[in-house]
Amino acid sequence: MWNILYPPRCPVCDRLLDRSRRAEDKRAGVCQICLSYGRPERIREPLCKRCGKPLSDETEAYCLDCRRQKHLFLEGRGAFAYRGMEESMYRFKNGNRRCYADFFGEELFLALQGVLGRWKPQVLIPVPIHRERRRRRGYNQAELLTRQLSARTGIPSDPRLLFRVRRTRVQASLDDRERRKNVKGAFAVRDDVCPYQRILLVDDIYTTGSTADAASQALLHAGAEKIFCASVCIGKGL
């Protein structure tokens, strides 16, 4: 009945999905048209050993961003390349396509299977949005992802620990230096005490790592010891 009232849509292009195909394959979350174009592009080796961006040169250990900038988190992973997913992520974030979270959560879980045993996070923390933005949008897309990932891994989530103390500009329109300045001091930990040592930050998109670093700084200052990052989409390294 739910699927009749709200038919499932392809999380890449937003077309209605073939119900018969979904009945045969529960993981068939992407339409045949997108699959024929190779979308979404899943992240594969070689990867940057710090942020998880795919690299074009397998002799390199780190992407250009991570060679130029020291990050506060230890490692990161992404499920898909951001290129080709721009409109999808915009709909997920701003177009009320909360239904995408199930597919994204499953793919993020698969992307993390090789590292969760080594990272051993105690908790999943969604990157928060400002309360005014959440009030207008109605939800935080990172929190939806965290909920899906928690259900699949059994790792508890804590969406209230980290919060934004001020509203920031949209990062997409800024260069690297402006991004870092934009989110500097934008996050805080409730009561300034973090009860977890190993944390996995969850977000929808990773580009330069400025948001992840700003969130990590607040968590480390409050007592966390090791921060890892996971995102649905990630930019390509060089």
Side-chain angles (χ1 to χ4, degrees), residues 44-65:
R44 292 181 173 86
E45 296 282 356
L47 305 176
C48 173
K49 295 184 182 300
R50 176 54 61 88
C51 71
K53 285 183 179 179
L55 300 174
S56 55
D57 186 352
E58 61 183 14
T59 65
E60 293 288 352
Y62 300 98
C63 70
L64 181 60
D65 282 336

Side-chain angles (χ1 to χ4, degrees), residues 125 161-162 189 194 199 201 214-224 227:
I125 302 291
L161 179 69
L162 188 67
V189 173
C194 179
I199 294 172
L201 276 173
S216 296
Q217 184 176 39
L219 291 165
L220 292 167
H221 177 76
I227 312 293

Side-chain angles (χ1 to χ4, degrees), residues 205-217:
I205 303 168
Y206 178 98
T207 49
T208 64
S210 54
T211 300
D213 280 332
S216 296
Q217 184 176 39

Side-chain angles (χ1 to χ4, degrees), residues 50 71-76 115-125 155 161-162 189 194-202 212-213 215-230:
R50 176 54 61 88
H71 294 295
L72 295 177
F73 60 90
L74 293 178
E75 284 187 67
V115 295
L116 283 180
R118 176 163 53 83
W119 291 357
K120 295 181 173 61
Q122 298 169 286
V123 68
L124 307 176
I125 302 291
I155 302 170
L161 179 69
L162 188 67
V189 173
C194 179
Y196 314 105
Q197 285 73 53
R198 305 173 72 91
I199 294 172
L200 176 54
L201 276 173
V202 181
D213 280 332
S216 296
Q217 184 176 39
L219 291 165
L220 292 167
H221 177 76
E225 295 178 1
K226 296 183 178 182
I227 312 293
F228 306 93
C229 298

Side-chain angles (χ1 to χ4, degrees), residues 55 78 87 110 146 153 170 172 181 197 211 221:
L55 300 174
E87 293 183 8
L110 294 174
T146 303
T153 61
V170 176
K181 183 178 180 181
Q197 285 73 53
T211 300
H221 177 76

